[in-house]
Amino acid sequence: MKRVIISGFIAGLLVFMATISHAQQKRLLSLDKLKASVDYFNSIDTETVKNFIPNEQAYNWLAKNIPLFECPDSALQKIYYYRWWIFCGPVGRPALGRTKIG
């Protein structure tokens, strides 16, 4: 009887773990708003100097490295993504250890 209970528990645990690992692979938030924001920021930036992460690579880097954010206030959402977008440029270099001082 004890073996049946333990076997049932282990089987249930394995099913639960498989479900969780599958759920973690799905995105809860869409990348569409990030893409629209980055496209807009890139369009208004002349990029006279190539940054650590060039504008053409900013979306891919951000999509892989930042937490997505959605809220009903579109201005707040745009500010959130703008602050991450400027992190890709000169503002982000010191934080990433890419600037030499002196």
Side-chain angles (χ1 to χ4, degrees):
M1 179 70 176
K2 196 173 186 180
R3 281 187 172 172
V4 172
I5 293 173
I6 292 173
S7 297
F9 175 75
I10 291 174
L13 184 61
L14 290 173
V15 169
F16 176 73
M17 290 176 62
T19 304
I20 287 178
S21 68
H22 177 68
Q24 290 176 347
Q25 295 172 358
K26 293 182 180 179
R27 288 191 181 275
L28 296 177
L29 301 176
S30 169
L31 291 170
D32 295 342
K33 292 183 181 181
L34 171 64
K35 177 74 170 142
S37 296
V38 171
D39 287 345
Y40 172 72
F41 303 144
N42 287 344
S43 73
I44 62 172
D45 182 32
T46 58
E47 197 176 22
T48 55
V49 175
K50 289 288 183 182
N51 297 313
F52 172 64
I53 301 166
N55 284 354
E56 63 268 3
Q57 296 174 7
Y59 169 73
N60 291 331
W61 188 88
L62 291 168
K64 292 178 187 174
N65 292 292
I66 69 166
L68 297 177
F69 175 71
E70 286 188 18
C71 73
D73 186 346
S74 62
L76 183 59
Q77 188 165 325
K78 190 171 271 193
I79 290 168
Y80 175 82
Y81 285 132
Y82 177 74
R83 292 182 68 142
W84 276 111
W85 179 79
I86 62 172
F87 186 79
C88 292
V91 173
R93 281 192 221 152
L96 294 172
R98 301 292 183 196
T99 300
K100 292 182 182 177
I101 299 174

